[in-house]
Amino acid sequence: MDLTLGEPDFAPPAHVAEAAVEAAGGPLGYTPSNGMPRLREAVRRAVGRYRGLDYADEQVAVGCGAKQVIFNAFLATIRPGDEVVIPAPYWASYPDMVSLCGGSPVVVPCRAGSGFRLTPPDLAAALTPRTRWVVLNAPGNPSGALYDREQVEALAEVFRAHPQVLVLSDEIYAHIRYSQDPYVSIAAAAPDLRDRILLVDGVSKAYAMTGWRVGWGLGPKELIARISVVQGQNCTQTSTLSQIAAVAALDGPQDVLAERNGIYRKRRNAGLAALASCPALTVPVPDGAFYLFPKLADAVDDVAVADRLLDAGVATVPGSAFGAPGHLRLSFATDVATLEEGCRRIAATLGVRS
Ligand SMILES: Cc1ncc(COP(=O)(O)O)c(C=O)c1O
């Protein structure tokens, strides 16, 4: 049972494949390094639709996935020794990217008691004159945690006192959410900070297009221009065919988003129910994304537990990989039968309440 998957197990919507097949026989030359104009337009329309945000064309940079946009942004801005604040649990790539760009990752542990969210006092305590970036990722990988408007506004208030700090808002999972509440992007909640916020998103998770490698950043013109310079000198642009497919995803019918959220919600609930009888695990209910992030009973080595589970035929990712030892990440980007059997084996291995 593989419960490690960090990508949707769906195919992209049919109209995406159709658009790509149709385009594949035509000219597919270079595009501008910040993306085809019509993709940038589609991105601007989408962010208007889903976040109510308005960006100019020069405020959009397309790259080979959200990952490359983030890397380009760090490479373009981090000076040796600059600090980047990364709340834990975190997506494992952030600290490595910061280190590769010559910066120092500053990891701020977020407690399960605060829903794995960064609190304003913890943020304030982590900031120094060397802080260049703060990373926000909601819904979070691996925690699935979201911030409500009040929480986002409270973080924004801390940023106001530190004008040298740039904010990376990684919103790649924003379409995968389990409540009807609208998504709160810090770029919308704190418009006065928009000249320091890089909002990152892409087609990977929402449209099940991980392998197509299309993501984008939206932010201040100067930062976007610098990101595009880096992009132009590393791989010129992301694939032209993929950009055409991404336009189809963004401009085509959007019902797939709600449909798949419904499927993920059922799986999430099935996983929570299957683990409920296991006293060795405390399982928070994720607000979004497609992971459960249970806490193991005190002082248990998560890597050793993940090894034991492998022996029982279940692959999970130990929380240490996300800067949160003592946890496991279980992906529910898999069918319910696999998920339930995986959770049953986890419960059987760790002990079930009698
Ligand atoms: C939090 C987070 N950000 C960014 C990415 C990268 O997305 P992309 O496929 O667009 O590069 C991932 C992928 O796992 C992720 O989990």
Side-chain angles (χ1 to χ4, degrees):
M1 314 284 120
D2 186 356
L3 302 185
T4 66
L5 294 182
E7 61 182 339
D9 56 328
F10 300 112
H15 58 270
V16 169
E18 281 157 23
V21 168
E22 199 186 318
L28 290 168
Y30 293 130
T31 73
S33 48
N34 58 341
M36 309 171 90
R38 66 183 161 118
L39 176 53
R40 297 200 306 267
E41 276 166 31
V43 167
R44 290 167 58 208
R45 273 194 293 277
V47 78
R49 207 162 57 226
Y50 292 118
R51 316 271 208 288
L53 287 167
D54 189 26
Y55 285 91
D57 184 51
E58 319 83 82
Q59 293 184 287
V60 187
V62 172
C64 305
K67 184 176 226 170
Q68 193 183 36
V69 175
I70 297 169
F71 189 81
N72 289 347
F74 285 168
L75 200 59
T77 53
I78 292 177
R79 293 157 303 208
D82 278 357
E83 295 171 359
V84 177
V85 172
I86 303 174
Y90 49 69
W91 179 42
S93 293
Y94 300 130
D96 288 351
M97 289 196 211
V98 170
S99 302
L100 275 169
C101 294
S104 304
V106 176
V107 172
V108 179
C110 300
R111 286 164 291 277
S114 60
F116 294 116
R117 292 178 194 91
L118 179 65
T119 63
D122 285 351
L123 170 62
L127 296 175
T128 76
R130 299 304 311 260
T131 309
R132 188 74 178 124
W133 285 93
V134 172
V135 174
L136 299 178
N137 169 218
N141 174 7
S143 69
L146 270 169
Y147 294 83
D148 65 22
R149 179 164 291 276
E150 209 176 313
Q151 289 159 341
V152 174
E153 279 170 1
L155 292 175
E157 195 51 34
V158 179
F159 290 126
R160 287 191 184 100
H162 298 268
Q164 89 284 11
V165 174
L166 296 166
V167 181
L168 170 67
S169 186
D170 181 345
E171 305 184 5
I172 194 81
Y173 290 97
H175 282 293
I176 304 175
R177 300 197 316 279
Y178 304 112
S179 89
Q180 299 307 316
D181 301 337
Y183 183 77
V184 186
S185 170
I186 188 163
D192 58 309
L193 298 181
R194 270 183 61 181
D195 61 350
R196 313 199 251 139
I197 297 171
L198 180 67
L199 188 169
V200 173
D201 199 351
V203 292
S204 286
K205 315 290 177 177
Y207 301 98
M209 290 174 68
T210 45
W212 292 81
R213 309 310 301 132
V214 182
W216 50 83
L218 299 149
K221 286 180 195 163
E222 311 69 43
L223 176 61
I224 292 296
R226 291 168 78 173
I227 289 173
S228 303
V229 168
V230 176
Q231 176 74 39
Q233 294 308 344
N234 61 29
C235 74
T236 307
Q237 48 151 121
T238 191
S239 144
T240 305
L241 190 59
S242 294
Q243 293 188 52
I244 293 168
V247 172
L250 292 174
D251 282 351
Q254 300 293 302
D255 15 335
V256 69
L257 300 174
E259 269 163 35
R260 290 179 177 177
N261 269 357
I263 297 171
Y264 285 130
R265 183 185 291 105
K266 280 192 190 131
R267 294 170 173 182
R268 176 193 74 159
N269 294 346
L272 290 168
L275 294 175
S277 62
C278 182
L281 297 177
T282 312
V283 198
V285 181
D287 302 319
F290 38 67
Y291 310 105
L292 298 177
F293 198 59
K295 185 181 185 323
L296 294 158
D298 286 342
V300 181
D301 174 352
D302 53 313
V303 178
V305 171
D307 279 346
R308 266 174 65 209
L309 292 174
L310 262 188
D311 292 338
V314 195
T316 61
V317 187
S320 301
F322 310 100
H327 295 78
L328 292 175
R329 190 188 79 172
L330 316 177
S331 165
F332 49 91
T334 191
D335 60 276
V336 170
T338 304
L339 178 66
E340 285 184 335
E341 177 58 17
C343 291
R344 196 196 58 73
R345 290 188 193 192
I346 292 172
T349 306
L350 302 182
V352 189
R353 195 175 287 115
S354 50

